[in-house]
């Protein structure tokens, strides 16, 4: 019995110490809360480890404007400084994920949210030819969640999103 209790205690503590990466839209947004997502990681990306709270970002969402009439895909270069200090939001499609993210990073974005252009859950993203040059967090959310956030980003200013791990982020964090 003692061995089982010890094993359960170790398993519980390891889950507390394991950082959880989240995408959270902050209050006072009507869409406040956590969102399901996938994020750029692995050998095809140059992004920092999002499980480390030091690599977390928090910023205002802005829609990418690449000059096209349709939903922005971010495949074309945006003007320098267009997204400085903000989280760039754009749609999946037409070009590689790494190129989209690099274009946003070069225009000053601190993170990128890619909205899936297909119904259903977000998919894993390969970095493509430019992924290793991207150093900011890149996530993908579902088309349904993306529609909510796009509408909010277009109609109001100041919607803040947190991307990363909050484990140990605050001094009084129990994690």
């Amino acid at each position: 019995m003692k061995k089982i209790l010890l094993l359960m205690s170790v398993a519980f503590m390891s889950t507390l110490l394991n950082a959880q990466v989240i995408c959270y839209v902050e209050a006072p947004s009507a869409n406040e809360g956590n969102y399901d997502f996938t994020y750029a990681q692995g050998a095809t990306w140059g992004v920092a480890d999002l499980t480390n709270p030091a690599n977390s970002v928090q910023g205002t969402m802005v829609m990418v404007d690449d000059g096209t009439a349709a939903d922005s895909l971010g495949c074309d270069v945006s003007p320098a400084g267009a997204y400085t200090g903000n989280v760039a939001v754009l749609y999946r499609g037409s070009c590689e994920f790494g190129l989209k993210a690099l274009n946003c990073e070069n225009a000053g974005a601190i993170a990128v949210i890619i909205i899936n252009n297909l119904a259903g859950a977000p998919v894993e993203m390969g970095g493509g030819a430019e992924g290793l040059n991207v150093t900011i967090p890149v996530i993908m959310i579902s088309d349904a969640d993306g529609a909510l956030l796009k509408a909010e980003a277009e109609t109001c200013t100041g919607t803040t999103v947190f991307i990363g791990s909050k484990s140990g982020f605050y001094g009084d964090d129990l994690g």
Side-chain angles (χ1 to χ4, degrees):
M1 181 66 178
K2 289 181 182 179
K3 289 180 182 180
I4 292 173
L5 184 58
L6 178 63
L7 181 63
M8 289 176 53
S9 297
V10 169
F12 177 72
M13 290 305 289
S14 69
T15 59
L16 284 179
L17 296 175
N18 188 14
Q20 179 182 4
V21 178
I22 62 169
C23 171
Y24 188 86
V25 175
E26 304 281 340
S29 169
N31 298 309
E32 176 186 4
N34 285 314
Y35 287 83
D36 290 330
F37 66 99
T38 60
Y39 63 97
Q41 60 183 336
T44 62
W45 290 95
V47 298
D49 178 13
L50 282 179
T51 61
N52 181 345
N55 298 325
S56 299
V57 296
Q58 185 172 2
T60 303
M61 293 187 308
V62 295
M63 289 302 299
V64 169
D65 181 5
D66 62 3
T68 60
D71 291 327
S72 180
L73 301 175
C75 295
D76 296 324
V77 174
S78 294
Y83 315 119
T84 299
N86 294 306
V87 176
V89 181
L90 50 89
Y91 275 85
R92 172 186 180 192
S94 271
C95 63
E96 297 176 344
F97 298 118
L99 177 62
K100 294 172 180 292
L102 186 61
N103 285 341
C104 293
E105 183 174 0
N106 289 340
I110 60 169
V112 175
I113 298 175
I114 298 174
I115 301 169
N116 197 350
N117 63 351
L118 302 174
V123 299
E124 294 296 322
M125 300 175 290
E130 298 295 342
L132 290 174
N133 298 317
V134 177
T135 61
I136 61 174
V138 181
I139 70 168
M140 179 185 281
I141 60 175
S142 72
D143 62 316
D145 289 342
L148 292 172
L149 297 185
K150 177 188 178 201
E152 184 167 346
E154 289 180 334
T155 59
C156 77
T157 58
T159 301
T160 303
V161 63
F162 176 92
I163 300 170
S165 173
K166 287 189 176 182
S167 179
F169 191 73
Y170 299 105
D172 60 352
D173 187 357
L174 294 177

